[in-house]
Amino acid sequence: MAGQMKKILVIGATGQIGSELVSHLREDYGENSVIGTYNNTDPSGDLLDGPMEKLDVLNAGRIGEVVDKYEVDSVFHLAAILSAKGESNPQLAFKVNVMGTFNVLEVGRKQQLNRIVIPSSIGVFGPEVPREKAPNETVLRPTSMYGVTKVTGELLGNYYFNKYGLDVRGARFPGIISYKTLPGGGTTDYAVEAFYKAIEDRHYSFFVREDTRLPLMYMPDCTRALIELAQADLEDLNYHADYNVSSLSFSARDLAEAIRKRIPEFSFDFQPDERQEIADSWPNSMDDTPARKDWGWQPRFGLEEMTDDMIDKLKEKLDEHERK
Ligand code: AKB
């Protein structure tokens, strides 16, 4: 049932995670063995070092065609509408997230793919879940459409594994902090925007309260988690589409102070908007014991290391843009 990953399709390759995952996978598997797809955002930079295809996840036939063309055996399906954008257009979020995932799973079933990896999110949790160390196994009653679609994706993934033997894997990711590609339309976007604004404008108005504490993760840990989960032995996995993966947990004020320690002129305030309600429905931290036990998950970046690295790399990137 479980085969090796040799030809990998990354759907949503121009997004925040995809744009970094593709280069890591190409380092490991070879440039021509990792095919990226994009829809609304054209690819640029190192994404163009290997094959790229335009693809809409709502077009199942086209997914099948690309899988055939490159003899793909494994898929990372990253295309999704995030939580805040999903609340302003729940119908679109349902269509893209649920029907897109369904289409990918159906292609996986019909074309007998070896592996499908689909990130889930802390969005699956709702207000009833323990705020601290939300367990892997708990009631999933999210209050956002994004959460509804992510729970559906997990259930579908587990269903396809049990019913058809399709090797579907997924982890519940926290908010991801990164400097290469901006996230678009998430509730945890403040944790990325704060860095840009601190460097460019020296001021940031957080759109959440200062005591808002959420699970977060630095991108190098995120791409490593995805690859390690994908490479794990199937026999070791006690879960499939729904592993908690935990790393950082800090408040908006903690983040602001960590940035100010490195950029003393940085000033900030807190002006919560409608995204606060989504943030309040999510836990502060997750218990990821099953991921640690089953496939050896271990985060590497703490708040201090992440902040140092983020500021260095982002300054480099913004300087380079200015020079061009
Ligand atoms: C969002 O805020 O919607 C995402 C997520 C936590 O899944 N970053």
Side-chain angles (χ1 to χ4, degrees), residues 292-307:
R292 289 177 191 244
K293 276 199 183 136
D294 292 359
W295 46 280
W297 163 243
Q298 187 75 55
R300 292 190 185 147
F301 282 84
L303 173 60
E304 299 300 326
E305 295 91 341
M306 179 277 289
T307 311

Side-chain angles (χ1 to χ4, degrees), residues 16 81-85 120-123 146 150 173-176 183-189 214-216 278 282:
Q16 187 195 14
I81 303 286
L82 297 184
S83 56
K85 189 166 172 202
S120 186
S121 159
I122 51 168
Y146 177 65
K150 284 292 170 186
F173 281 92
I176 305 300
T187 302
T188 56
D189 290 10
L214 287 174
L216 293 147
I278 304 175
W282 293 347

Side-chain angles (χ1 to χ4, degrees), residues 41-317:
T41 309
D42 287 348
S44 58
D46 57 10
L47 281 176
L48 297 169
D49 294 346
M52 292 294 298
E53 291 279 343
K54 188 164 167 68
L55 176 157
D56 177 352
V57 285
L58 295 177
N59 184 344
R62 174 81 181 125
I63 305 173
E65 230 173 72
V66 174
V67 163
D68 255 356
K69 176 173 170 187
Y70 293 94
E71 297 179 356
V72 164
D73 53 62
S74 303
V75 176
F76 286 80
H77 172 43
L78 309 174
I81 303 286
L82 297 184
S83 56
K85 189 166 172 202
E87 263 340 82
S88 61
N89 194 345
Q91 292 72 20
L92 179 71
F94 183 87
K95 245 195 343 213
V96 172
N97 296 4
V98 176
M99 292 316 295
T101 298
F102 177 73
N103 288 342
V104 171
L105 291 171
E106 274 293 279
V107 168
R109 175 180 75 82
K110 291 183 189 151
Q111 297 181 222
Q112 301 186 339
L113 297 186
N114 289 341
R115 195 152 312 155
I116 296 186
V117 181
I118 308 176
S120 186
S121 159
I122 51 168
V124 297
F125 298 117
E128 301 94 337
V129 163
R131 298 291 84 191
E132 298 302 332
K133 293 208 160 269
N136 215 112
E137 205 71 73
T138 187
V139 57
L140 298 180
R141 226 177 266 148
T143 49
S144 69
M145 177 54 94
Y146 177 65
V148 169
T149 67
K150 284 292 170 186
V151 174
T152 309
E154 289 186 358
L155 293 172
L156 281 172
N158 291 339
Y159 180 84
Y160 273 70
F161 175 74
N162 291 317
K163 176 97 177 166
Y164 302 115
L166 183 64
D167 185 356
V168 184
R169 306 177 181 197
R172 293 173 182 150
F173 281 92
I176 305 300
I177 299 172
S178 69
Y179 56 85
K180 186 168 175 185
T181 305
L182 280 165
T187 302
T188 56
D189 290 10
Y190 67 86
V192 179
E193 285 173 13
F195 284 96
Y196 278 81
K197 293 286 183 184
I199 294 170
E200 291 181 316
D201 303 342
R202 301 289 193 249
H203 182 81
Y204 183 54
S205 288
F206 284 79
F207 57 74
V208 290
R209 283 190 319 269
E210 62 183 293
D211 62 351
T212 303
R213 197 153 74 75
L214 287 174
L216 293 147
M217 183 183 281
Y218 195 34
M219 183 61 90
D221 277 336
C222 168
T223 47
R224 193 169 48 77
L226 279 166
I227 294 173
E228 286 177 4
L229 173 60
Q231 292 174 339
D233 283 339
L234 181 62
E235 305 78 65
D236 293 336
L237 302 183
N238 291 297
Y239 288 81
H240 295 279
D242 48 2
Y243 275 102
N244 281 5
V245 282
S246 181
S247 175
L248 307 162
S249 167
F250 49 76
S251 70
R253 174 167 283 277
D254 292 338
L255 176 63
E257 298 292 1
I259 297 175
R260 185 156 64 185
K261 218 161 88 183
R262 289 143 178 103
I263 305 176
E265 317 85 271
F266 179 45
S267 66
F268 48 84
D269 57 17
F270 300 90
Q271 297 182 22
D273 64 16
E274 67 287 349
R275 288 168 279 193
Q276 184 69 54
E277 202 178 315
I278 304 175
D280 286 343
S281 73
W282 293 347
N284 300 338
S285 64
M286 271 184 285
D287 174 42
D288 59 1
T289 307
R292 289 177 191 244
K293 276 199 183 136
D294 292 359
W295 46 280
W297 163 243
Q298 187 75 55
R300 292 190 185 147
F301 282 84
L303 173 60
E304 299 300 326
E305 295 91 341
M306 179 277 289
T307 311
D308 280 338
D309 200 60
M310 202 40 208
I311 291 177
D312 283 356
K313 301 275 172 47
L314 191 54
K315 273 186 176 160
E316 242 170 65
K317 174 182 137 171

